[in-house]
């Protein structure tokens, strides 16, 4: 059995984010979403620039197709749910 790991790095324009507390609040729904998934892990980068937020998500599984489906679902969910706009969304297989 092979374990597949997909690392997703993302950067979003997040209006009205001026400090770490604002960043945590803006990306709170993403934290909850990833916590509800059994194969997702999330880490947020510390606040560094106004109106920007960066995070990394790792999705792990044994079926590459299901991981790719999870990536697409996550991207669609973020566009529909989170404020702002995606600036960068890069995925790499580890």
């Amino acid at each position: 059995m092979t374990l597949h790991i997909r690392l997703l790095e993302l950067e979003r324009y997040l209006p009205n984010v001026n400090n770490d507390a604002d960043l945590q609040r803006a990306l709170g729904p993403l934290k909850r979403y990833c916590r509800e998934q059994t194969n997702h892990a999330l880490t947020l980068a510390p606040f560094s620039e106004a109106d920007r937020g960066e995070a990394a998500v790792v999705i792990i599984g044994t079926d590459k197709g299901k991981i790719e489906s999870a990536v697409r679902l996550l991207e669609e969910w973020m566009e529909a749910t989170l404020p702002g706009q995606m600036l960068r969304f890069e995925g790499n297989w580890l």
Side-chain angles (χ1 to χ4, degrees):
M1 179 187 314
T2 302
L3 187 62
H4 302 284
I5 304 170
R6 183 85 167 164
L7 170 64
L8 306 170
E9 297 174 286
L10 61 104
E11 181 180 3
R12 285 188 72 83
Y13 164 72
L14 298 166
N16 303 319
V17 169
N18 298 306
N19 56 45
D20 229 11
D22 292 343
L23 181 62
Q24 294 290 328
R25 193 170 21 262
L27 294 179
L30 178 59
K31 289 171 65 174
R32 285 187 293 280
Y33 177 88
C34 288
R35 201 175 309 136
E36 292 170 357
Q37 309 304 311
T38 58
N39 60 343
H40 289 48
L42 169 74
T43 185
L44 299 179
F47 174 80
S48 63
E49 187 178 344
D51 297 331
R52 297 281 189 273
E54 295 181 29
V57 178
V58 173
I59 302 176
I60 300 172
T62 55
D63 183 334
K64 252 186 171 178
K66 287 184 180 179
I67 293 174
E68 283 301 327
S69 294
V71 169
R72 283 190 300 278
L73 183 63
L74 173 64
E75 188 174 13
E76 291 169 3
W77 180 90
M78 286 190 295
E79 287 304 316
T81 307
L82 295 179
Q85 178 181 9
M86 190 72 72
L87 299 174
R88 181 173 57 94
F89 189 75
E90 299 174 359
N92 296 301
W93 290 103
L94 302 180

